[in-house]
Amino acid sequence: MTGVPASAAGGSSPAHGAAKPKGASKTQAGGKVQGAAKNHSTPKAQGAALSSAADPSGAAGGGKPARGAKIAAAAVNQASVWNIANLLTMLRLLLVPGFVALMLADGGYDPAWRSVAWAAFAIAMITDLFDGHLARTYNLVTDFGKIADPIADKAIMGAALICLSALGDLPWWVTIVILGRELGITLLRFLVIRYGVIPASRGGKLKTLTQGVAVGMYVLALTGWLATLRFWVMAVAVVLTVVTGLDYVRQAIVLRRQGIAERKAALEETEA
């Protein structure tokens, strides 16, 4: 049967229309064209639906992310500051004024208050051991931590030394040597950072540990042989402070010379 109505041809699928023989009548051809035109919108609609499903922002063709997605990503980045390592650093910063208040309570010579002050100082020293390790181990390093951690370290140590010297328990020259070394090395690190980073040495870590033990012993109201022992521990801490400080100065000079030589060699190679 050769006379197929146009409405029947228009209602057929494109695949069915493609299977028609070449000798079909004009009516069939017209119906096939009409059917193709009618069904041509279906793949576009399907493509738009697939694009919408693939792009959560709702933009067809993989357009720019929605504004809400950007805000959510920024919120996640900001929330990363509140990790366990940074919280320990914040705790150490908050302990500084509390430690000073405990040290100076009741004239600064009450053994009970000094014991509580020692507990606050010990907590600060323990958190100092853990926050940096946690940040490096679990990839929690942030810009806030890089700035706040060394500030917290020097704040609690400086507060303890100044309080001890103000109370007459520790000579002022010891406080000046230790704090002067810490501030000087920090400034030196910033001055040579363009050439490289001075790594923390084993001597520097031993110095920090010895300083913490010595200052902690001075915070406690010790007498007898324990008072004599803390004097010698502090003497070792002062020696390590000076020796490691001079070693950092040497490393900074070497690092600067190497950096200048490398820049000069690179400049000569470029000119050549």
Side-chain angles (χ1 to χ4, degrees), residues 72-151:
V76 170
N77 292 334
Q78 291 296 326
S80 65
V81 175
W82 299 93
N83 58 61
I84 183 62
N86 287 343
L87 289 176
L88 290 176
T89 301
M90 294 176 193
L91 173 63
R92 196 157 70 256
L93 286 170
L94 292 175
L95 282 173
V96 174
F99 167 80
V100 173
L102 293 170
M103 276 290 295
L104 302 179
D106 199 12
Y109 297 102
D110 189 334
W113 286 113
R114 293 284 286 261
S115 298
V116 179
W118 176 86
F121 181 80
I123 293 173
M125 291 294 100
I126 292 172
T127 57
D128 181 30
L129 295 176
F130 282 103
D131 59 356
H133 174 73
L134 290 172
R136 292 186 297 269
T137 302
Y138 298 101
N139 195 25
L140 301 175
V141 178
T142 62
D143 292 337
F144 171 81
K146 293 177 183 178
I147 297 173
D149 183 66
I151 292 176

Side-chain angles (χ1 to χ4, degrees), residues 161 165 170-182 241:
L161 290 169
S165 294
L170 189 68
W172 275 106
W173 71 264
V174 174
T175 296
I176 293 172
V177 167
I178 294 177
L179 293 184
R181 184 267 189 198
E182 298 299 329
T241 298

Side-chain angles (χ1 to χ4, degrees), residues 2-231:
T2 58
V4 180
S7 60
S12 61
S13 64
H16 179 70
K20 293 293 182 179
K22 291 182 179 180
S25 62
K26 293 182 179 180
T27 305
Q28 290 174 310
K32 185 166 68 174
V33 171
Q34 181 184 0
K38 181 179 180 180
N39 289 293
H40 181 65
S41 60
T42 302
K44 291 176 65 178
Q46 292 176 349
L50 291 173
S51 176
S52 177
D55 187 4
S57 65
K64 294 182 179 180
R67 183 178 180 182
K70 292 182 180 180
I71 295 175
V76 170
N77 292 334
Q78 291 296 326
S80 65
V81 175
W82 299 93
N83 58 61
I84 183 62
N86 287 343
L87 289 176
L88 290 176
T89 301
M90 294 176 193
L91 173 63
R92 196 157 70 256
L93 286 170
L94 292 175
L95 282 173
V96 174
F99 167 80
V100 173
L102 293 170
M103 276 290 295
L104 302 179
D106 199 12
Y109 297 102
D110 189 334
W113 286 113
R114 293 284 286 261
S115 298
V116 179
W118 176 86
F121 181 80
I123 293 173
M125 291 294 100
I126 292 172
T127 57
D128 181 30
L129 295 176
F130 282 103
D131 59 356
H133 174 73
L134 290 172
R136 292 186 297 269
T137 302
Y138 298 101
N139 195 25
L140 301 175
V141 178
T142 62
D143 292 337
F144 171 81
K146 293 177 183 178
I147 297 173
D149 183 66
I151 292 176
D153 297 342
K154 291 169 179 57
I156 189 67
M157 183 60 69
L161 290 169
I162 292 173
C163 286
L164 290 171
S165 294
L167 293 172
D169 294 339
L170 189 68
W172 275 106
W173 71 264
V174 174
T175 296
I176 293 172
V177 167
I178 294 177
L179 293 184
R181 184 267 189 198
E182 298 299 329
L183 296 176
I185 295 303
T186 301
L187 179 61
L188 187 63
R189 286 177 182 272
F190 280 110
L191 290 176
V192 300
I193 197 171
R194 68 179 69 178
Y195 306 109
V197 177
I198 303 176
S201 62
R202 292 183 179 180
K205 295 178 181 179
L206 180 61
K207 177 269 306 177
T208 301
L209 178 61
T210 308
Q211 281 184 1
V213 173
V215 172
M217 294 179 72
Y218 268 88
V219 170
L220 289 171
L222 301 179
T223 58
W225 68 271
L226 288 175
T228 303
L229 177 62
R230 73 181 182 182
F231 169 82

Side-chain angles (χ1 to χ4, degrees), residues 181 238-248:
R181 184 267 189 198
V238 171
V239 171
L240 288 174
T241 298
V242 175
V243 171
T244 55
L246 294 175
D247 182 63
Y248 276 121

